[in-house]
Amino acid sequence: MSQSNQAAVCVRSFLRYRTFIRAALMVNYPQFDMLEHVLKAVRAGELERRGQTDGGFSYTVHGRGYRMVGPDGAEIELDLLLDGSEAFDTWRLEVFARSIRMSPVPSKEDLMQVCRDMTQGGVLDEPEPGWFHFIE
């Protein structure tokens, strides 16, 4: 598989895992419908900074974002941008690729190109340079 194909697989997998892990966490933590709700609940003391479900899904809240982890170790990390977008960058895609043991891990350049192609295709938005948001 070419490097650019590997990057496309990585980005598509990241988006699928994001939906899957978030849905699993919402069963126990309804605030996971939106990152903004998670951050607000943590700041109000209504939600712990770390949590785990009986099914092995976990989360950790940090600064302006969170990391969600599936029982298989897949890590999805998102940050909240100033415009309210839940966004990711190529570093977060690399972390995800390593967490699912993707080999080789796609380069930042290939991941950026795939994200920009997906932006032109209407799948992603780029609210800030280098930060991408899934259009739902």
Side-chain angles (χ1 to χ4, degrees):
M1 181 180 302
S2 75
Q3 284 291 330
S4 60
N5 285 344
Q6 186 82 339
V9 167
C10 180
V11 175
R12 286 193 304 273
S13 295
F14 178 91
L15 296 174
R16 277 194 310 274
Y17 267 95
R18 171 196 161 271
T19 301
F20 172 66
I21 295 173
R22 174 184 260 163
L25 285 169
M26 280 179 59
V27 171
N28 291 77
Y29 309 104
Q31 299 92 334
F32 273 83
D33 65 332
M34 291 180 62
L35 175 54
E36 183 177 8
H37 295 157
V38 172
L39 296 176
K40 189 179 289 185
V42 167
R43 290 177 186 136
E46 300 164 358
L47 185 67
E48 296 293 325
R49 284 198 172 275
R50 297 174 190 263
Q52 184 164 347
T53 70
D54 291 339
F57 293 88
S58 64
Y59 72 89
T60 304
V61 175
H62 58 79
R64 65 179 190 168
Y66 60 44
R67 176 182 300 115
M68 302 178 291
V69 181
D72 61 355
E75 293 184 28
I76 301 294
E77 187 163 335
L78 298 168
D79 275 4
L80 188 66
L81 300 183
L82 293 176
D83 72 351
S85 298
E86 297 180 12
F88 59 91
D89 59 4
T90 57
W91 178 82
R92 283 155 182 78
L93 291 169
E94 287 178 319
V95 168
F96 168 74
R98 286 186 189 92
S99 76
I100 62 168
R101 296 171 192 78
M102 183 174 271
S103 182
V105 171
S107 70
K108 282 184 171 90
E109 295 77 17
D110 287 342
L111 290 167
M112 183 68 73
Q113 186 59 55
V114 167
C115 288
R116 293 230 162 102
D117 291 347
M118 292 176 88
T119 298
Q120 290 178 349
V123 175
L124 298 177
D125 183 29
E126 190 174 2
E128 291 182 19
W131 286 89
F132 299 93
H133 167 74
F134 181 58
I135 299 172
E136 300 184 75

